Structures are given as C-alpha cells and as structure tokens.
Amino acid sequence: MKDPADDTPSRRGARVRRRRILALTTYSLVLVLATVVATLAIERGGIDRPPGKPPEAATTARESPTAVQTSLTFGAQDAELETVTVPAGTANSALISFDLKINRSPVASPQAALVSARIDCSSDGRQVQMSASGKVSTNVLLARGGEISGQALAPPTDEEMTCSLRASAPFINAPSDGVDSLPVSVSLDLGATDRDRHLALHRLDDATLVEPGAELTVLSLQVDDPRSLDSINSTVRLTSCTVVGGSRDAGENKCQPSMTGTESSTVGIRVIARWLDEDGAIESTSTYWDEILAIDHDTHHVPWNLRLQGMASKVPDNATAVVLVVQVDSLAGTPVVVHADGTDAVISTLP
C-alpha cells in the first residue's frame, strides 16, 4: 500500500528530478555511441556517396597475415622490411599485397616524414622484371602515424622467387628528442596461385592534373568471361595541389603556385562495370565501389588502395563481357594530380 508521506511535493519533485537525470544520462550515452560509430565508419571507409555504396556481395579481401613489428631508420633508402617466397613452377603471375603501418613516434615537436614503399623480386640472385612494382608514397606526421597499402605483380616463374617489401624515408633528420627511426608494422601476402591475373590498361602516360568539376578515367580492362571475375586489387596514387612539390612523375610539376592553398583536395574514386551484350554494345552499367576522400595539406600524397572480392555475384544474366573502369573525380578544394607511375589494378579471374 502506498504511503501518503511518499507523495509530498518535495518527494514528488525529487522523483521528477531523478527521472530527468536518468533521461539525460541515457540520451548522452546514445549521442556518444552514435559519434563513435560515425567516426569509425569514416576512418575505415571514407565517406561514401549514397548512389554508389559497395554492394553487400562485394567484400574486402581476406585478412592479411600477422604483422611483423620492425623499424625504418630516418634517411633509409630501399630498406628491406619483409620477404615472401613464390614457389617454383608458379604458372600464373604472382599477386603480392602489402600493408605498411607507420606507428606513432614519441616526438614533442611537429615533424613529418615522406615514406615510400615498393616490391621487388629476385630469383637465383637475379632481379626479376616486375609487371607492377606496387610503388606508393605518403607524408606522415610522426606524432600521428599513418599507413600505406599496395600490390605488385610478378611474372610466372619456373624457379623459386624471393619478393621483398622495400621502404624509404629519405628526407628527414633525427629530431632533437633522439628519435631516429619510425616504428612500423608490416604485412606481406602472396595471393592464391590458382588465379589468372590481368593487369589493367593504363590510360595515362604521365602525371595528370584534374581540376575541380572534372573526371578522369585512369585504368580499364575488358574481361570476355565476366562470370569468371573473382577480385580486383587497385592503387591510385594521388597528390593534392596544396603545395607544388611532388606533383610530377618524370616531367615538370603539374601543380602551379596559383593553384595551391591549404584547402584539402576532395576526390571521388569509382570502380565501374560496363556490361556488354553479344554485339559488344553496353547493355547496362553498375558501380562496384564509390568513395570520397580528402587529401589534406599535411598528407599531400595519398595512395588510395582497394581490395575487392565477390565480383561475379554482380554480373547480369545477359552480359557476355565487361569493361571495368577506375575513374577519378575532382570534386572540390584544390586540384589533384593522378600519377601514372604506381597507379595500377590487377583483376583476378577463376580459370
């Protein structure tokens, strides 16, 4: 039975205050959780444009092998960080993927490093001519860290090959607090050897400037049996015109002083499939991937990387061939440069 003393104005007010406090606490927790989820989504996948979100059937590649912890000395050139062996008698081209995470360094003052990486292979003491070396680079604030990923393609081999991930940090001196190397985590993975590997055709001969509002097709490949599609591994090397330097391959810098500024380059990257009918005409078009990323003043160089599987599930019933296209859109901010050197895509098909 309810005690009348419990229903005095002061006790009713206390109960109301408790309910309000509980409601506010619950609301605050919901906001915090929503913020965390949104932040993780942006950090892991960029900002997706609604029309082209990745389909559920297309997933990222299998997990990388256990990372090796090592270091990259300031000033290093082509330091070997990790190796993987390609077995003798590998009849198909070998796909080698890597992830290089630059961990945070305990430095008191702001300092940045240019970090680059590539793959080279050798057999019986001789260098192997690579189909694609996986060359990538980025700027990293030491106190923040960063990461780069890529893939290389080595030719078929009758002999065993040793493939090395090599990294450089050329333009940096040891800071005054005594740090003289970058702590790094390295994963190097040899893809399945029973896949046919196809290197996409380059549509660029040199670094190419893309101004806001323009779009550029950078890679393409026609696959005559679309139902054999397995995966795509692609890298697009991008440089923002936040500064002039580094916006070239072999020729002159493509960014001009009049273009530069502190505003980030906002870039969209799409992987598009143009499905062909038996007459070779485009029957329909679909999007495998659609992502927006920003290249800020500090980072300046970004090697965008994608590993996508499950591609056959998206093939229309009446498609007899497909042209896969990687496209870059300059959306806002400062112009962006797409490098021909290091931009590539490997499309894998089932035999």
Side-chain angles (χ1 to χ4, degrees):
M1 186 176 192
K2 184 178 178 181
D3 187 347
D6 289 337
D7 201 32
T8 62
S10 60
R11 292 180 182 271
R12 286 198 303 272
R15 287 198 299 270
V16 169
R17 284 193 296 271
R18 284 196 295 271
R19 286 196 295 270
R20 287 176 179 172
I21 290 170
L22 180 60
L24 286 171
T25 302
T26 303
Y27 179 68
S28 299
L29 286 171
V30 170
L31 285 177
V32 169
L33 287 171
T35 302
V36 169
V37 170
T39 301
L40 288 173
I42 292 171
E43 288 180 350
R44 292 177 181 176
I47 305 170
D48 292 331
R49 282 180 279 196
K53 292 174 66 178
E56 292 182 3
T59 61
T60 53
R62 58 195 175 96
E63 291 185 4
S64 297
T66 302
V68 173
Q69 307 300 317
T70 184
S71 62
L72 180 63
T73 304
F74 293 165
Q77 293 276 6
D78 287 335
E80 184 180 84
L81 299 183
E82 178 65 314
T83 63
V84 67
T85 299
V86 180
T90 300
N92 297 316
S93 296
L95 176 65
I96 304 145
S97 303
F98 66 87
D99 298 298
L100 174 59
K101 181 179 180 181
I102 303 98
N103 299 310
R104 296 177 181 178
S105 296
V107 293
S109 59
Q111 191 161 359
L114 173 67
V115 178
S116 62
R118 65 181 180 87
I119 298 286
D120 70 16
C121 298
S122 61
S123 178
D124 196 22
R126 300 185 304 273
Q127 288 296 117
V128 173
Q129 182 67 39
M130 303 292 288
S131 301
S133 69
K135 177 181 178 180
V136 292
S137 62
T138 192
N139 286 328
V140 177
L141 289 173
L142 270 60
R144 180 191 300 171
E147 56 187 304
I148 48 179
S149 299
Q151 69 282 323
L153 193 64
T157 180
D158 293 327
E159 301 176 346
E160 184 176 276
M161 281 192 303
T162 299
C163 297
S164 303
L165 174 62
R166 298 191 179 276
S168 302
F171 307 122
I172 185 169
N173 298 316
S176 57
D177 46 18
V179 176
D180 61 0
S181 64
L182 297 170
V184 297
S185 305
V186 181
S187 298
L188 191 59
D189 183 37
L190 174 64
T193 57
D194 62 347
R195 304 292 195 271
D196 294 325
R197 312 291 185 183
H198 313 274
L199 194 62
L201 300 176
H202 279 257
R203 305 295 294 273
L204 308 177
D205 296 324
D206 194 6
T208 302
L209 180 73
V210 189
E211 302 211 37
E215 64 182 39
L216 182 69
T217 296
V218 298
L219 298 163
S220 66
L221 183 74
Q222 179 168 324
V223 177
D224 291 330
D225 181 9
R227 285 160 189 83
S228 69
L229 282 173
D230 179 48
S231 63
I232 182 173
N233 293 59
S234 184
T235 298
V236 178
R237 289 186 61 216
L238 303 166
T239 294
S240 65
C241 286
T242 47
V243 297
V244 171
S247 60
R248 65 188 183 93
D249 284 342
E252 298 181 351
N253 284 314
K254 303 303 179 181
C255 297
Q256 302 299 318
S258 60
M259 304 174 182
T260 61
T262 57
E263 187 177 3
S264 299
S265 299
T266 303
V267 179
I269 301 184
R270 297 179 181 179
V271 178
I272 299 169
R274 294 172 180 152
W275 307 105
L276 308 182
D277 61 22
E278 58 185 9
D279 297 322
I282 297 176
E283 184 267 339
S284 62
T285 299
S286 56
T287 300
Y288 271 109
W289 195 264
D290 189 349
E291 183 179 341
I292 295 175
L293 65 154
I295 311 169
D296 62 27
H297 182 274
D298 292 329
T299 306
H300 187 42
H301 305 292
V302 167
W304 174 85
N305 184 258
L306 175 67
R307 299 168 187 169
L308 197 66
Q309 292 182 326
M311 298 182 73
S313 63
K314 202 174 178 66
V315 179
D317 291 339
N318 54 347
T320 60
V322 62
V323 176
L324 297 171
V325 173
V326 179
Q327 179 179 294
V328 173
D329 302 335
S330 180
L331 300 176
T334 57
V336 67
V337 170
V338 182
H339 296 269
D341 186 15
T343 290
D344 58 53
V346 178
I347 291 90
S348 300
T349 58
L350 295 171

